[in-house]
Amino acid sequence: MVDFKDKSEVKFSEAAQKEIERYISHYPADRKKSAVLPVLHIAQAEFGGWVSPAVQDKVAEILGIEPIEVYEVATFYTMFNLKPVGNYVLEVCRTGPCMLRGSDQLIEHIENRIGCKVGETSPDGMFTLKTVECLAACGMGPMLQIHEDYHENLDPEKVDKLLEDLRNKAAVKQSN
């Protein structure tokens, strides 16, 4: 977990800085604020999957805007994590179509399997469980998203297999 006391400690990698500059270049000089979403995505990827207040302050500094303008965006969108998260963020759709097809039961099943409730991270630090609004896969519910990957038409058995695969993937990474 990367946590900074203030923005002076926040240092983007050279590759991230170049990507930030590329996004900023898409907008007029007096409209750098328009790059706040992609810059927050870069920051989240760069600093452990979440955007701390210090990281948000650094984003504001880079874009030449007030920190509150970044906080407003980061707190509005559920795609930004405002506290440390596990290796895998399980985002379960909870809107009507998925709910009708069993998302509530699936969420309860996941909570029991990973040992934490919605909004929490599992004791082993592997998983964070979140519920989100529509992920635009209404015909394939219940479903969840992990990073950019959709997992659709889920049931408890498919979820168990998915969790096992993720744990095995993590174990392989640790052994290398």
Side-chain angles (χ1 to χ4, degrees), residues 41-93:
H41 280 293
I42 293 165
Q44 184 162 273
E46 183 89 350
F47 300 114
W50 69 297
V51 287
S52 69
V55 169
Q56 293 176 62
D57 290 348
K58 187 65 167 187
V59 168
E61 179 182 275
I62 289 167
L63 297 176
I65 59 178
E66 294 298 318
I68 188 65
E69 296 176 273
V70 177
Y71 303 160
E72 289 169 343
V73 173
T75 59
F76 179 79
Y77 291 103
T78 59
M79 65 188 132
F80 297 115
N81 301 307
L82 304 176
K83 60 183 183 180
V85 294
N87 297 338
Y88 300 101
V89 179
L90 311 175
E91 298 178 295
V92 182
C93 180

Side-chain angles (χ1 to χ4, degrees), residues 127-142:
F127 303 106
T128 296
L129 180 59
K130 294 172 68 174
T131 56
V132 294
E133 294 304 318
C134 188
L135 290 170
C138 299
M140 275 57 99

Side-chain angles (χ1 to χ4, degrees), residues 88 90 126-127 146 162-170:
Y88 300 101
L90 311 175
M126 180 84 57
F127 303 106
I146 303 170
L162 175 62
L163 296 174
E164 179 183 336
D165 290 347
L166 293 171
R167 283 188 172 106
N168 290 339
K169 184 178 176 181

Side-chain angles (χ1 to χ4, degrees), residues 2-80:
V2 180
D3 193 6
F4 303 103
K5 300 298 178 217
D6 68 49
K7 68 181 178 182
S8 67
E9 297 177 359
V10 178
K11 306 281 188 239
F12 283 92
S13 67
E14 188 175 322
Q17 288 175 6
K18 285 181 181 179
E19 189 163 358
I20 289 168
E21 291 167 13
R22 185 177 67 81
Y23 277 110
I24 291 172
S25 75
H26 293 169
Y27 304 101
D30 64 338
R31 301 268 193 253
K32 289 179 6 179
K33 177 182 179 178
S34 299
V36 69
L37 282 171
V39 174
L40 278 170
H41 280 293
I42 293 165
Q44 184 162 273
E46 183 89 350
F47 300 114
W50 69 297
V51 287
S52 69
V55 169
Q56 293 176 62
D57 290 348
K58 187 65 167 187
V59 168
E61 179 182 275
I62 289 167
L63 297 176
I65 59 178
E66 294 298 318
I68 188 65
E69 296 176 273
V70 177
Y71 303 160
E72 289 169 343
V73 173
T75 59
F76 179 79
Y77 291 103
T78 59
M79 65 188 132
F80 297 115

